[in-house]
Every structure is written in structure tokens, then in C-alpha cells.
Amino acid sequence: MAILETARFEIPLLAAGQAHKELFHNEALTRIDFLIHPTVQGIESDPSNIEPLPGQSWLVAPGATNEWQGHDDHIAGWTGNGWAFIAPLAMMRVYIEPAASFAVYRGSWQPAEAIANPAAGSVVDSEARQAIDSILAALVAQGILLSGL
């Protein structure tokens, strides 16, 4: 029998003569909706700590409990009818709203870090510092790094 889902994100596919095609089609659109510019409300391990609205999603922290148990590192999206879980792929990037920055999946979710601008040293190269400050500012503007201290 043919596999009736996509290889990467397990999005349901339709089959000829399939009954209730609208259910599979709607499930596929729901997953796609969570995957296009993925944005999460935070990182959480217990869904009972939140009151989700349809379309909101969270990164499932390690050691997840209740309905999220067994879905560590997945994106959990609330559909209004229940949770949809999406397994991450290497180098997948999601925007974390409360942090106003991104996390990248490298075996586990790696949130952006804060890096302080250079401020001390026995020899000060002002041109090098200006270049480093510009690079850091560009990385912060893209959400790759958090603003320095």
C-alpha cells in the first residue's frame, strides 16, 4: 500500500476513492498553517499550564507531561479540536514571541543567546570594534542573537 503522507512533515495526502477527503485535506492545511513561518508562544512541558487559542503553538520542552508526553521537541499547535504535533527537522527555525528571537533545531531547540559587545582590553582597535558592533547589531535585528548586556 502506498504511503499516504509526505516524507518530511507527515502531511496527509489524498488517495483516489478515499472517503472523507475533507478531513485529510483540512489536517494537511492545519499542519501547513503551523509550518509557514512557525511562531510559538513559548517553551512549555505541561499543556495544563496554558490556555491555548486556535492557531497558537508552543515548543514542547524535554520531560513533557499530560497530552504532550512523548512529544519532546515537537511543535505543539492548538487547532481548537486538539493538539497537532509536528516533529522538527535539522536546522528548522521557529520564532519565539516572548523572547522576540529565534530558536534553531540542532538535535534540540537552541534559543538565541545574548553576546555582549566588546568593551575592554589592553589594546583598543576602534575600527574592529565598530565592525564587530555592526555584525552583532545585524544578528540581533534578524533575531539570531539577543541584544547584548
Side-chain angles (χ1 to χ4, degrees), residues 109-120:
W109 289 104
Q110 307 293 313
E113 298 179 23
I115 297 177
N117 292 23

Side-chain angles (χ1 to χ4, degrees), residues 92-119:
M92 186 174 182
R93 189 168 94 147
V94 298
Y95 183 73
I96 304 173
E97 280 188 0
S101 67
F102 289 92
V104 176
Y105 187 76
R106 295 182 176 110
S108 65
W109 289 104
Q110 307 293 313
E113 298 179 23
I115 297 177
N117 292 23

Side-chain angles (χ1 to χ4, degrees), residues 39-43 59 94-103 110-114 140 142-147:
T39 300
V40 297
Q41 279 56 57
I43 303 171
L59 291 181
V94 298
Y95 183 73
I96 304 173
E97 280 188 0
S101 67
F102 289 92
Q110 307 293 313
E113 298 179 23
V140 168
Q142 292 297 314
I144 296 168
L145 295 176
L146 295 175
S147 181

Side-chain angles (χ1 to χ4, degrees), residues 49-135:
N49 293 334
I50 56 178
E51 294 184 26
L53 296 174
Q56 290 184 325
S57 57
W58 283 261
L59 291 181
V60 179
T65 60
N66 297 322
E67 296 171 87
W68 290 1
Q69 188 171 8
H71 294 284
D72 292 3
D73 288 330
H74 284 65
I75 297 171
W78 182 251
T79 66
N81 294 319
W83 293 103
F85 296 99
I86 300 168
L89 297 177
M91 297 307 292
M92 186 174 182
R93 189 168 94 147
V94 298
Y95 183 73
I96 304 173
E97 280 188 0
S101 67
F102 289 92
V104 176
Y105 187 76
R106 295 182 176 110
S108 65
W109 289 104
Q110 307 293 313
E113 298 179 23
I115 297 177
N117 292 23
S122 59
V123 176
V124 176
D125 182 336
S126 61
E127 290 178 4
R129 281 208 180 156
Q130 185 177 8
I132 292 169
D133 288 344
S134 296
I135 292 167

